[in-house]
Amino acid sequence: MGLFHKQSDDKRTGDNPLAEATDQQKRFFDDYFREELRNHGRWYFDKVIKENGDLFKKDLEAVIAQVNTDLKEHVSRQLDGAIAHINATLKDHVTRQMDVQFAEYSKTMQEAQDAALKNMTDGSNELRDQYHELSSLLKDNIAEQNAMMHKAFEEHKAQLQSMDEAQSASLTALNQSTEKLQSQYQQIGQMLDTQVTEQRDQIVKAFEDNMARTVEHYILGALGDQYDLKAQLPAIVKQLEDNKQAMVDDITL
Amino acid sequence: MSETSLTYKEFVLPASVVTKRDVSQLVNEAERVDSELTTATVRAHITTGVAVSPVFSGTFSDFLALNKLEFEESKARTALIKQLRLLKDNVPIIHLTFAVSADIESLQKLTAWFRQSVSPQVVLEVGLQPALVAGVYIRTTNHVHDLSLRAALAGKHDLLVKELEGLRSA
């Protein structure tokens, strides 16, 4: 569009070539063409930048990887050295500390052993003394117990003798009681016979009374169902006649 | 009406009147018939018709016949009802308790005996007590008379025991 832009004006400027060339140049390099050139340049610049960025990125990644590897190796070497140094230092320190502690512990143990040995020696002496005291005390107690047992034996002997005497007396009293019981038994037997006889008489008497009631009951039951009022009427009238005067007196009172 | 001059003490009770309940029925019937006759008389005045003669029960008819009473005039009826009420309140009562249920014929015979021998206007109150076995237990106004077989046997209990003892000894 820029090449044919303002073409109608070329016929009017054909007289001056420089002007015409200048004019042609102006027409050729118009704003539109310059914009096209700028866009093209911008596109080309972007392309170059992008390609260089990619290359730079790849190089940078390769460098970073190389640096990482080198750094890792360096750090490993440094750490190994430092750890070896620290180990050696720590080992020396711990060894010294443990030597000191062991020395203190040995000293303390020695002191404790000495104190325990001294206590055991004292306790042994004390036990020996107590043993001697207890032995003498036991001998005294045995002698005292012996005397008490002898005394108790004598007392028991006297008590046994008195018990024998009491047993003889009890036996005599028991024989007398047996004789009394025998006589009481005979008396009770006689009383029992008497009471049995009386009880038998009472039972017979009660039986007779009950028999009388039984006979009465039988008579009442037998007669009660046999007589109606018509059958009883003559006897009732006869009894009424016997009690007539009393009833007349009561009614006319 | 000369019959209305009778007082309740002079009434003769028929044999069918045995208990005080029968006397009460006499009073009730007299009042009922009096009411019917009065009503009939009023109606006869209004309708100029003939008054219907009243219907009496057999007991009431016997009572009227025995005492020769008229029941036509209003004044006579009123006086008779009054005397019957007095009779009901003052009739002498004898309570009889039997060992068996009493039939009406026996009761009428006993009533007749009591009216002939004790008092002419006596009525009975009848009870039942099987424990009496036989005989009668009488209660008058102030006394009791145990004429039952039970009482007779109870009185002879000692005699029975004595006879049993005699039998045992033999």
Side-chain angles (χ1 to χ4, degrees), chain A residues 123-134:
Chain A
S124 176
N125 293 332
E126 193 174 349
L127 278 173
R128 192 182 303 116
D129 296 339
Q130 288 180 357
Y131 172 73
H132 288 306
E133 289 177 2
L134 286 173

Side-chain angles (χ1 to χ4, degrees), chain A residues 251, chain B residues 87-94 119-124 141:
Chain A
I251 291 292
Chain B
L87 175 67
K88 187 184 79 171
D89 295 336
N90 297 286
V91 68
I93 301 171
I94 293 179
S119 175
Q121 291 181 332
V122 163
V123 292
L124 305 179
T141 309

Side-chain angles (χ1 to χ4, degrees), chain B residues 95-109:
Chain B
H95 298 265
L96 300 179
T97 305
F98 299 103
V100 294
S101 58
D103 57 299
I104 187 65
E105 292 179 11
S106 301
L107 287 178
Q108 286 178 352
K109 287 180 182 177

Side-chain angles (χ1 to χ4, degrees), chain A residues 204-205 207-209 211-213 215-216 219-221 223-225 227-230 232-233 236-237 239-241 243-244 246-248 250-253, chain B residues 92 94 98 100-103 105-106 109-110 113-114 117-119 133-136 138 140-143 145 147 149-150 153 157 160-161 164-165 168:
Chain A
V204 169
K205 188 172 184 303
F207 171 74
E208 288 170 352
D209 292 343
M211 179 58 81
R213 289 197 187 92
V215 171
E216 285 177 12
I219 291 170
L220 295 179
L223 292 178
D225 296 333
Y227 289 103
D228 59 358
L229 190 57
K230 284 182 182 174
Q232 298 172 26
L233 201 56
I236 290 173
V237 171
Q239 288 180 319
L240 288 176
E241 290 286 350
N243 295 275
K244 182 172 75 175
M247 287 186 279
V248 170
D250 194 19
I251 291 292
T252 56
L253 191 64
Chain B
I94 293 179
F98 299 103
V100 294
S101 58
D103 57 299
E105 292 179 11
S106 301
K109 287 180 182 177
L110 286 170
W113 182 88
F114 275 110
S117 305
V118 180
S119 175
V133 184
V136 63
I138 302 171
T140 57
T141 309
N142 300 301
H143 291 90
H145 304 275
L147 308 179
L149 184 58
R150 181 182 66 177
L153 286 173
H157 177 82
L160 182 59
V161 171
L164 284 172
E165 282 182 354
R168 187 171 66 87

